Structure formats: structure tokens, C-alpha cells
Amino acid sequence: MTELRSAVSRLRRRLAAHPGEFADRTIAEEELAALAAMAADGIPETPCLRRSLLLIAGAIGSVSALSADLTEVRRAVDLFGGPVRGQG
């Protein structure tokens, strides 16, 4: 849980500081807030985590400055249920 909270917090800070605008920024911000809430409320359901991760990746996946932080969020989500089929 600690890793998820830390990774989400880092990505939220980096996204807030990112100067560029992109079409799906609001989606990324909303889903990061949802992930933070799930992490704060206890053990979240893996399908909900994965759904938020997918939406975040789709929203900011092309912003290379955020890719390392996004990878850390994905790794933290994977701790709740292992990698998605086809990813390892």
C-alpha cells in the first residue's frame, strides 16, 4: 500500500508541475485522485486499480517526461495481483 501511495503521489506532483497541456490531462488527474483515494481507504480491488491505471496510461502515455513515474505506478499496481497477462 505504501508503494502505491508513494508512486501515485510522485506522479501527481510531476503531472501538476508539467508545463505542457494535453487533451486528456483532466482524465489523468481524476484517475490519479481516484487511485490515491483507493490507497487511502484500505486494500483496493485489483480490477479498479487496473482500470484507473489503464485510463492514466492512455491519458499521459505519450508524455515522455512522465513515463518513469507512470512505470512506478504500474509496478505498484502489479503488487496487488501480479502482472497483466502478456506483460511478464
Side-chain angles (χ1 to χ4, degrees):
M1 198 60 85
T2 301
E3 290 184 44
L4 179 61
R5 280 192 294 263
S6 295
V8 168
S9 179
R10 244 185 329 274
L11 182 53
R12 288 179 87 182
R13 284 192 310 270
R14 291 287 308 267
L15 179 59
H18 185 66
E21 284 299 319
F22 47 94
D24 295 331
R25 184 182 194 119
T26 301
I27 293 170
E29 290 168 343
E30 288 171 357
E31 290 303 320
L32 282 166
L35 275 180
M38 284 185 247
D41 287 343
I43 299 176
E45 294 182 19
T46 302
C48 293
L49 290 174
R50 294 206 180 283
R51 178 189 174 279
S52 287
L53 177 61
L54 182 62
L55 290 170
I56 294 164
I60 66 173
S62 64
V63 182
S64 61
L66 302 173
S67 64
D69 297 298
L70 178 59
T71 297
E72 289 304 311
V73 171
R74 184 191 60 82
R75 286 184 184 141
V77 168
D78 284 348
L79 294 173
F80 288 88
V84 176
R85 283 182 286 184
Q87 285 194 357

